[in-house]
């Protein structure tokens, strides 16, 4: 059979049977759209988190008492710097500040602006900063979410922080961070490390935790053991462990949706199989006529498979395009909060485009193979019937 005749007849059938395919077409689009949206969002957020963690220090050391973290003495820095293989040991100061009018918390981060090993993510955020002007007065840089709340209460130039002794510390708003930084900096307030200690009620000789780097991968396990031997009441968090923790979190949330997708898909396939098992007399007569004019069983099955492949393929392409628009253009309203959680400050972060072709190919095969299998068996059963019986 000439290919031109075959494809002409194929598109003629698609046009004739469009009312039969429309319900399946719409449901297929919805299934692909929801699944692609989850994959796009999961991959993008996971890439962003991994990129952020990549710039973190290799080890975070915390002081523990009765299962709770406490401020750590900065004198311990000398104990850790003496360990072979350790570099860039420094204190880190951060904590939550309660904003009563909105019943929310801001995250205050104290930065030593003269420390060369300051976190790369923070350095990128501070590229807008003139350090000499910033340090000339008590100043702070605020995230986009913090700015919105301060504007709401008319704190346009400065804010008075309440200290533990009930005095007020006025701090000037020096800059606000761009919306593009919202995913990591929406609720941040960045200020000088000594000023942060004052507001968070941390002693000058203490810090929230201590961070350090170990450039040689092969030495990290040995260094971790030596750190634990230095003091008995500490917890050591390794960057690789944090990566695994976040990866498991995203896989868990993505896995829940994918399990639902599998349930919905196989329910849809069963409905599809039942639909094609109940082939109408018109369809039987159509197949009988094709056999009578010389079409083989192989040609008939090929025709029906191609007809439904086009329906499924078009539904897949449209579903993926709609998912791309929903995630990367409309910024995934509602869905993104399911993955990151509903934070105490509304976070309108921008999702960066990240599409893994391998995930799309896997999704396509996982969708298309069951889709076509549900059509193949019923069509084959009718195609092997004698043509005279099919046309009755």
């Amino acid at each position: 059979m000439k290919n031109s005749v075959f494809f002409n007849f194929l598109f003629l059938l698609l046009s004739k049977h469009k009312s039969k395919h429309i319900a399946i077409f719409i449901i297929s689009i919805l299934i692909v759209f929801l699944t692609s949206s989850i994959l796009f969002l999961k991959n993008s957020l996971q890439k962003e988190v991994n990129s952020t963690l990549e710039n973190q220090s290799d080890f975070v050391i915390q002081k523990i008492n009765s299962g709770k973290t406490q401020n750590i003495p900065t004198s311990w820095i000398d104990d850790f710097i003496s360990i072979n293989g350790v570099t860039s040991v420094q204190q880190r100061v951060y904590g939550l500040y309660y904003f009563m009018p909105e019943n929310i918390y801001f995250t205050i981060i104290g930065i030593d602006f003269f420390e060369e090993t300051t976190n790369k993510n923070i350095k990128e955020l501070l590229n807008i900063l003139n350090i000499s002007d910033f340090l000339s007065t008590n100043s702070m840089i605020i995230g986009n979410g913090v700015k919105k709340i301060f504007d709401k209460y008319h704190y346009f130039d400065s804010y008075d922080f309440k200290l533990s002794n009930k005095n007020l510390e006025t701090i000037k708003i020096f800059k606000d961070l761009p919306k593009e930084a919202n995913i990591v900096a929406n609720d941040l307030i960045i200020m000088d490390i000594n000023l942060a200690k004052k507001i968070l009620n941390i002693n000058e000789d203490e810090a929230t935790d201590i961070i350090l780097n170990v450039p040689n991968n092969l030495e990290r396990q040995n260094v971790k053991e030596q750190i634990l031997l230095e003091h008995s009441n500490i917890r050591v968090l390794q960057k690789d462990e944090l990566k695994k923790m976040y990866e498991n979190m995203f896989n868990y949330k993505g896995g829940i949706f994918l399990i639902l997708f599998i349930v919905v898909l196989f329910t849809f396939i069963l409905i599809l199989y039942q639909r094609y098992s109940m082939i109408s007399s018109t369809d039987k007569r159509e197949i009988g006529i094709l056999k009578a004019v010389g079409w083989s069983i192989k040609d008939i099955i090929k025709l029906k498979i191609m007809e439904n492949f086009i329906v499924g393929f078009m539904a897949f392409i449209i579903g993926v395009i709609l998912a791309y628009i929903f995630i990367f253009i409309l910024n995934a309203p509602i869905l993104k909060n399911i993955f990151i959680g509903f934070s105490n400050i509304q976070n309108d972060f921008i999702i960066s485009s990240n599409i893994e072709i391998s995930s799309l190919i896997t999704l396509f095969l996982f969708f298309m193979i069951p889709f076509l299998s549900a059509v193949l068996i019923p069509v084959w059963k009718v195609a092997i019937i004698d043509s005279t019986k099919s046309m009755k």
Side-chain angles (χ1 to χ4, degrees), residues 203-227:
N203 295 332
E204 290 184 4
D205 58 350
E206 292 182 334
T208 309
D209 52 38
I210 293 173
I211 55 176
L212 56 86
N213 288 319
V214 181
N216 189 342
N217 292 340
L218 300 177
E219 292 183 337
R220 286 177 183 169
Q221 186 57 39
N222 181 52
V223 167
K224 183 177 180 179
E225 293 173 1
Q226 292 186 60
I227 291 172

PDB file of all heavy atoms in Angstrom, residues 203-227:
ATOM      1  N   ASN A 203      25.733  37.120  72.787  1.00  0.00           N
ATOM      2  CA  ASN A 203      26.936  37.728  73.369  1.00  0.00           C
ATOM      3  C   ASN A 203      28.011  37.925  72.304  1.00  0.00           C
ATOM      4  O   ASN A 203      28.074  37.191  71.316  1.00  0.00           O
ATOM      5  CB  ASN A 203      27.479  36.860  74.499  1.00  0.00           C
ATOM      6  CG  ASN A 203      26.517  36.785  75.681  1.00  0.00           C
ATOM      7  OD1 ASN A 203      25.741  37.719  75.908  1.00  0.00           O
ATOM      8  ND2 ASN A 203      26.551  35.686  76.395  1.00  0.00           N
ATOM      9  N   GLU A 204      28.889  38.903  72.541  1.00  0.00           N
ATOM     10  CA  GLU A 204      29.936  39.215  71.568  1.00  0.00           C
ATOM     11  C   GLU A 204      30.888  38.041  71.346  1.00  0.00           C
ATOM     12  O   GLU A 204      31.448  37.893  70.256  1.00  0.00           O
ATOM     13  CB  GLU A 204      30.726  40.442  72.035  1.00  0.00           C
ATOM     14  CG  GLU A 204      29.932  41.735  71.970  1.00  0.00           C
ATOM     15  CD  GLU A 204      30.781  42.940  72.347  1.00  0.00           C
ATOM     16  OE1 GLU A 204      32.003  42.754  72.570  1.00  0.00           O
ATOM     17  OE2 GLU A 204      30.234  44.054  72.426  1.00  0.00           O
ATOM     18  N   ASP A 205      31.087  37.215  72.380  1.00  0.00           N
ATOM     19  CA  ASP A 205      32.015  36.087  72.254  1.00  0.00           C
ATOM     20  C   ASP A 205      31.297  34.786  71.876  1.00  0.00           C
ATOM     21  O   ASP A 205      31.818  33.685  72.070  1.00  0.00           O
ATOM     22  CB  ASP A 205      32.797  35.884  73.552  1.00  0.00           C
ATOM     23  CG  ASP A 205      31.869  35.637  74.747  1.00  0.00           C
ATOM     24  OD1 ASP A 205      30.628  35.817  74.597  1.00  0.00           O
ATOM     25  OD2 ASP A 205      32.373  35.241  75.817  1.00  0.00           O
ATOM     26  N   GLU A 206      30.079  34.909  71.326  1.00  0.00           N
ATOM     27  CA  GLU A 206      29.307  33.742  70.906  1.00  0.00           C
ATOM     28  C   GLU A 206      28.805  33.929  69.471  1.00  0.00           C
ATOM     29  O   GLU A 206      28.810  35.032  68.931  1.00  0.00           O
ATOM     30  CB  GLU A 206      28.116  33.508  71.842  1.00  0.00           C
ATOM     31  CG  GLU A 206      28.502  33.069  73.249  1.00  0.00           C
ATOM     32  CD  GLU A 206      27.289  32.816  74.124  1.00  0.00           C
ATOM     33  OE1 GLU A 206      26.220  33.412  73.858  1.00  0.00           O
ATOM     34  OE2 GLU A 206      27.410  32.020  75.072  1.00  0.00           O
ATOM     35  N   ALA A 207      28.363  32.826  68.893  1.00  0.00           N
ATOM     36  CA  ALA A 207      27.784  32.856  67.542  1.00  0.00           C
ATOM     37  C   ALA A 207      26.667  31.826  67.476  1.00  0.00           C
ATOM     38  O   ALA A 207      26.480  31.019  68.402  1.00  0.00           O
ATOM     39  CB  ALA A 207      28.859  32.549  66.498  1.00  0.00           C
ATOM     40  N   THR A 208      25.903  31.868  66.397  1.00  0.00           N
ATOM     41  CA  THR A 208      24.830  30.878  66.229  1.00  0.00           C
ATOM     42  C   THR A 208      25.421  29.508  65.932  1.00  0.00           C
ATOM     43  O   THR A 208      25.005  28.504  66.488  1.00  0.00           O
ATOM     44  CB  THR A 208      23.893  31.294  65.077  1.00  0.00           C
ATOM     45  OG1 THR A 208      23.481  32.647  65.281  1.00  0.00           O
ATOM     46  CG2 THR A 208      22.672  30.392  65.035  1.00  0.00           C
ATOM     47  N   ASP A 209      26.396  29.463  65.019  1.00  0.00           N
ATOM     48  CA  ASP A 209      27.138  28.228  64.744  1.00  0.00           C
ATOM     49  C   ASP A 209      28.471  28.589  64.098  1.00  0.00           C
ATOM     50  O   ASP A 209      28.748  29.770  63.837  1.00  0.00           O
ATOM     51  CB  ASP A 209      26.333  27.239  63.878  1.00  0.00           C
ATOM     52  CG  ASP A 209      25.791  27.872  62.601  1.00  0.00           C
ATOM     53  OD1 ASP A 209      26.508  28.705  61.999  1.00  0.00           O
ATOM     54  OD2 ASP A 209      24.662  27.552  62.188  1.00  0.00           O
ATOM     55  N   ILE A 210      29.278  27.585  63.852  1.00  0.00           N
ATOM     56  CA  ILE A 210      30.591  27.769  63.221  1.00  0.00           C
ATOM     57  C   ILE A 210      30.628  26.952  61.931  1.00  0.00           C
ATOM     58  O   ILE A 210      30.163  25.802  61.908  1.00  0.00           O
ATOM     59  CB  ILE A 210      31.730  27.340  64.171  1.00  0.00           C
ATOM     60  CG1 ILE A 210      31.794  28.290  65.372  1.00  0.00           C
ATOM     61  CG2 ILE A 210      33.071  27.310  63.447  1.00  0.00           C
ATOM     62  CD1 ILE A 210      32.780  27.864  66.448  1.00  0.00           C
ATOM     63  N   ILE A 211      31.153  27.544  60.874  1.00  0.00           N
ATOM     64  CA  ILE A 211      31.247  26.843  59.595  1.00  0.00           C
ATOM     65  C   ILE A 211      32.714  26.737  59.181  1.00  0.00           C
ATOM     66  O   ILE A 211      33.536  27.576  59.554  1.00  0.00           O
ATOM     67  CB  ILE A 211      30.435  27.546  58.490  1.00  0.00           C
ATOM     68  CG1 ILE A 211      30.864  29.018  58.353  1.00  0.00           C
ATOM     69  CG2 ILE A 211      28.955  27.447  58.762  1.00  0.00           C
ATOM     70  CD1 ILE A 211      30.170  29.761  57.223  1.00  0.00           C
ATOM     71  N   LEU A 212      33.025  25.699  58.430  1.00  0.00           N
ATOM     72  CA  LEU A 212      34.398  25.506  57.959  1.00  0.00           C
ATOM     73  C   LEU A 212      34.407  24.701  56.667  1.00  0.00           C
ATOM     74  O   LEU A 212      33.424  24.031  56.326  1.00  0.00           O
ATOM     75  CB  LEU A 212      35.255  24.833  59.035  1.00  0.00           C
ATOM     76  CG  LEU A 212      34.767  23.483  59.607  1.00  0.00           C
ATOM     77  CD1 LEU A 212      35.235  22.322  58.745  1.00  0.00           C
ATOM     78  CD2 LEU A 212      35.270  23.309  61.040  1.00  0.00           C
ATOM     79  N   ASN A 213      35.512  24.765  55.955  1.00  0.00           N
ATOM     80  CA  ASN A 213      35.677  24.042  54.695  1.00  0.00           C
ATOM     81  C   ASN A 213      36.811  23.042  54.793  1.00  0.00           C
ATOM     82  O   ASN A 213      37.788  23.249  55.517  1.00  0.00           O
ATOM     83  CB  ASN A 213      35.970  25.016  53.549  1.00  0.00           C
ATOM     84  CG  ASN A 213      34.749  25.831  53.160  1.00  0.00           C
ATOM     85  OD1 ASN A 213      33.639  25.320  53.107  1.00  0.00           O
ATOM     86  ND2 ASN A 213      34.961  27.114  52.898  1.00  0.00           N
ATOM     87  N   VAL A 214      36.652  21.961  54.043  1.00  0.00           N
ATOM     88  CA  VAL A 214      37.701  20.953  53.891  1.00  0.00           C
ATOM     89  C   VAL A 214      37.853  20.704  52.395  1.00  0.00           C
ATOM     90  O   VAL A 214      37.072  19.969  51.791  1.00  0.00           O
ATOM     91  CB  VAL A 214      37.345  19.637  54.622  1.00  0.00           C
ATOM     92  CG1 VAL A 214      38.472  18.620  54.457  1.00  0.00           C
ATOM     93  CG2 VAL A 214      37.064  19.893  56.092  1.00  0.00           C
ATOM     94  N   PRO A 215      38.845  21.346  51.743  1.00  0.00           N
ATOM     95  CA  PRO A 215      38.970  21.264  50.284  1.00  0.00           C
ATOM     96  C   PRO A 215      39.133  19.844  49.745  1.00  0.00           C
ATOM     97  O   PRO A 215      38.641  19.530  48.670  1.00  0.00           O
ATOM     98  CB  PRO A 215      40.220  22.113  49.993  1.00  0.00           C
ATOM     99  CG  PRO A 215      40.339  23.032  51.172  1.00  0.00           C
ATOM    100  CD  PRO A 215      39.832  22.246  52.337  1.00  0.00           C
ATOM    101  N   ASN A 216      39.814  18.979  50.474  1.00  0.00           N
ATOM    102  CA  ASN A 216      40.071  17.614  50.016  1.00  0.00           C
ATOM    103  C   ASN A 216      38.910  16.700  50.412  1.00  0.00           C
ATOM    104  O   ASN A 216      38.672  16.462  51.597  1.00  0.00           O
ATOM    105  CB  ASN A 216      41.379  17.093  50.615  1.00  0.00           C
ATOM    106  CG  ASN A 216      41.810  15.772  50.002  1.00  0.00           C
ATOM    107  OD1 ASN A 216      41.022  15.060  49.386  1.00  0.00           O
ATOM    108  ND2 ASN A 216      43.081  15.442  50.168  1.00  0.00           N
ATOM    109  N   ASN A 217      38.205  16.174  49.418  1.00  0.00           N
ATOM    110  CA  ASN A 217      37.056  15.305  49.680  1.00  0.00           C
ATOM    111  C   ASN A 217      37.440  14.076  50.512  1.00  0.00           C
ATOM    112  O   ASN A 217      36.657  13.610  51.356  1.00  0.00           O
ATOM    113  CB  ASN A 217      36.423  14.838  48.367  1.00  0.00           C
ATOM    114  CG  ASN A 217      35.759  15.974  47.613  1.00  0.00           C
ATOM    115  OD1 ASN A 217      35.438  17.005  48.198  1.00  0.00           O
ATOM    116  ND2 ASN A 217      35.561  15.795  46.321  1.00  0.00           N
ATOM    117  N   LEU A 218      38.619  13.541  50.251  1.00  0.00           N
ATOM    118  CA  LEU A 218      39.042  12.318  50.920  1.00  0.00           C
ATOM    119  C   LEU A 218      39.293  12.524  52.411  1.00  0.00           C
ATOM    120  O   LEU A 218      39.291  11.562  53.189  1.00  0.00           O
ATOM    121  CB  LEU A 218      40.318  11.774  50.249  1.00  0.00           C
ATOM    122  CG  LEU A 218      40.187  11.418  48.756  1.00  0.00           C
ATOM    123  CD1 LEU A 218      41.528  10.965  48.204  1.00  0.00           C
ATOM    124  CD2 LEU A 218      39.132  10.326  48.561  1.00  0.00           C
ATOM    125  N   GLU A 219      39.506  13.758  52.823  1.00  0.00           N
ATOM    126  CA  GLU A 219      39.809  14.042  54.232  1.00  0.00           C
ATOM    127  C   GLU A 219      38.560  14.357  55.051  1.00  0.00           C
ATOM    128  O   GLU A 219      38.647  14.448  56.279  1.00  0.00           O
ATOM    129  CB  GLU A 219      40.772  15.235  54.322  1.00  0.00           C
ATOM    130  CG  GLU A 219      42.162  14.964  53.780  1.00  0.00           C
ATOM    131  CD  GLU A 219      43.083  16.158  53.957  1.00  0.00           C
ATOM    132  OE1 GLU A 219      42.563  17.286  54.078  1.00  0.00           O
ATOM    133  OE2 GLU A 219      44.312  15.971  53.980  1.00  0.00           O
ATOM    134  N   ARG A 220      37.412  14.526  54.391  1.00  0.00           N
ATOM    135  CA  ARG A 220      36.240  15.063  55.097  1.00  0.00           C
ATOM    136  C   ARG A 220      35.731  14.141  56.207  1.00  0.00           C
ATOM    137  O   ARG A 220      35.361  14.622  57.284  1.00  0.00           O
ATOM    138  CB  ARG A 220      35.126  15.366  54.092  1.00  0.00           C
ATOM    139  CG  ARG A 220      35.431  16.617  53.286  1.00  0.00           C
ATOM    140  CD  ARG A 220      34.406  16.914  52.239  1.00  0.00           C
ATOM    141  NE  ARG A 220      34.818  18.104  51.470  1.00  0.00           N
ATOM    142  CZ  ARG A 220      34.239  18.506  50.353  1.00  0.00           C
ATOM    143  NH1 ARG A 220      33.216  17.823  49.857  1.00  0.00           N
ATOM    144  NH2 ARG A 220      34.685  19.583  49.730  1.00  0.00           N
ATOM    145  N   GLN A 221      35.680  12.845  55.959  1.00  0.00           N
ATOM    146  CA  GLN A 221      35.196  11.949  56.996  1.00  0.00           C
ATOM    147  C   GLN A 221      36.121  11.936  58.199  1.00  0.00           C
ATOM    148  O   GLN A 221      35.680  11.949  59.358  1.00  0.00           O
ATOM    149  CB  GLN A 221      35.042  10.532  56.422  1.00  0.00           C
ATOM    150  CG  GLN A 221      34.403   9.533  57.374  1.00  0.00           C
ATOM    151  CD  GLN A 221      33.019   9.976  57.849  1.00  0.00           C
ATOM    152  OE1 GLN A 221      32.233  10.526  57.093  1.00  0.00           O
ATOM    153  NE2 GLN A 221      32.726   9.735  59.131  1.00  0.00           N
ATOM    154  N   ASN A 222      37.420  11.946  57.930  1.00  0.00           N
ATOM    155  CA  ASN A 222      38.408  11.974  59.015  1.00  0.00           C
ATOM    156  C   ASN A 222      38.314  13.280  59.800  1.00  0.00           C
ATOM    157  O   ASN A 222      38.385  13.284  61.041  1.00  0.00           O
ATOM    158  CB  ASN A 222      39.813  11.795  58.432  1.00  0.00           C
ATOM    159  CG  ASN A 222      40.880  11.799  59.509  1.00  0.00           C
ATOM    160  OD1 ASN A 222      40.790  11.062  60.494  1.00  0.00           O
ATOM    161  ND2 ASN A 222      41.894  12.638  59.334  1.00  0.00           N
ATOM    162  N   VAL A 223      38.137  14.401  59.089  1.00  0.00           N
ATOM    163  CA  VAL A 223      38.006  15.705  59.751  1.00  0.00           C
ATOM    164  C   VAL A 223      36.746  15.737  60.613  1.00  0.00           C
ATOM    165  O   VAL A 223      36.760  16.259  61.734  1.00  0.00           O
ATOM    166  CB  VAL A 223      37.977  16.838  58.702  1.00  0.00           C
ATOM    167  CG1 VAL A 223      37.536  18.156  59.333  1.00  0.00           C
ATOM    168  CG2 VAL A 223      39.354  17.006  58.061  1.00  0.00           C
ATOM    169  N   LYS A 224      35.668  15.170  60.095  1.00  0.00           N
ATOM    170  CA  LYS A 224      34.412  15.149  60.862  1.00  0.00           C
ATOM    171  C   LYS A 224      34.591  14.410  62.186  1.00  0.00           C
ATOM    172  O   LYS A 224      34.109  14.851  63.238  1.00  0.00           O
ATOM    173  CB  LYS A 224      33.311  14.490  60.032  1.00  0.00           C
ATOM    174  CG  LYS A 224      31.955  14.480  60.710  1.00  0.00           C
ATOM    175  CD  LYS A 224      30.881  13.884  59.806  1.00  0.00           C
ATOM    176  CE  LYS A 224      29.525  13.891  60.507  1.00  0.00           C
ATOM    177  NZ  LYS A 224      28.458  13.346  59.631  1.00  0.00           N
ATOM    178  N   GLU A 225      35.302  13.302  62.153  1.00  0.00           N
ATOM    179  CA  GLU A 225      35.553  12.533  63.379  1.00  0.00           C
ATOM    180  C   GLU A 225      36.407  13.336  64.363  1.00  0.00           C
ATOM    181  O   GLU A 225      36.163  13.314  65.576  1.00  0.00           O
ATOM    182  CB  GLU A 225      36.245  11.219  63.024  1.00  0.00           C
ATOM    183  CG  GLU A 225      35.350  10.264  62.235  1.00  0.00           C
ATOM    184  CD  GLU A 225      36.088   9.026  61.746  1.00  0.00           C
ATOM    185  OE1 GLU A 225      37.308   8.914  62.056  1.00  0.00           O
ATOM    186  OE2 GLU A 225      35.469   8.192  61.074  1.00  0.00           O
ATOM    187  N   GLN A 226      37.396  14.064  63.838  1.00  0.00           N
ATOM    188  CA  GLN A 226      38.247  14.879  64.714  1.00  0.00           C
ATOM    189  C   GLN A 226      37.470  16.044  65.323  1.00  0.00           C
ATOM    190  O   GLN A 226      37.694  16.415  66.477  1.00  0.00           O
ATOM    191  CB  GLN A 226      39.448  15.405  63.929  1.00  0.00           C
ATOM    192  CG  GLN A 226      40.438  14.322  63.519  1.00  0.00           C
ATOM    193  CD  GLN A 226      41.676  14.902  62.862  1.00  0.00           C
ATOM    194  OE1 GLN A 226      42.403  15.688  63.470  1.00  0.00           O
ATOM    195  NE2 GLN A 226      41.912  14.544  61.607  1.00  0.00           N
ATOM    196  N   ILE A 227      36.541  16.617  64.555  1.00  0.00           N
ATOM    197  CA  ILE A 227      35.713  17.707  65.081  1.00  0.00           C
ATOM    198  C   ILE A 227      34.884  17.206  66.255  1.00  0.00           C
ATOM    199  O   ILE A 227      34.768  17.868  67.300  1.00  0.00           O
ATOM    200  CB  ILE A 227      34.802  18.266  63.969  1.00  0.00           C
ATOM    201  CG1 ILE A 227      35.631  19.009  62.913  1.00  0.00           C
ATOM    202  CG2 ILE A 227      33.749  19.207  64.557  1.00  0.00           C
ATOM    203  CD1 ILE A 227      34.840  19.416  61.683  1.00  0.00           C
TER     204      ILE A 227
END
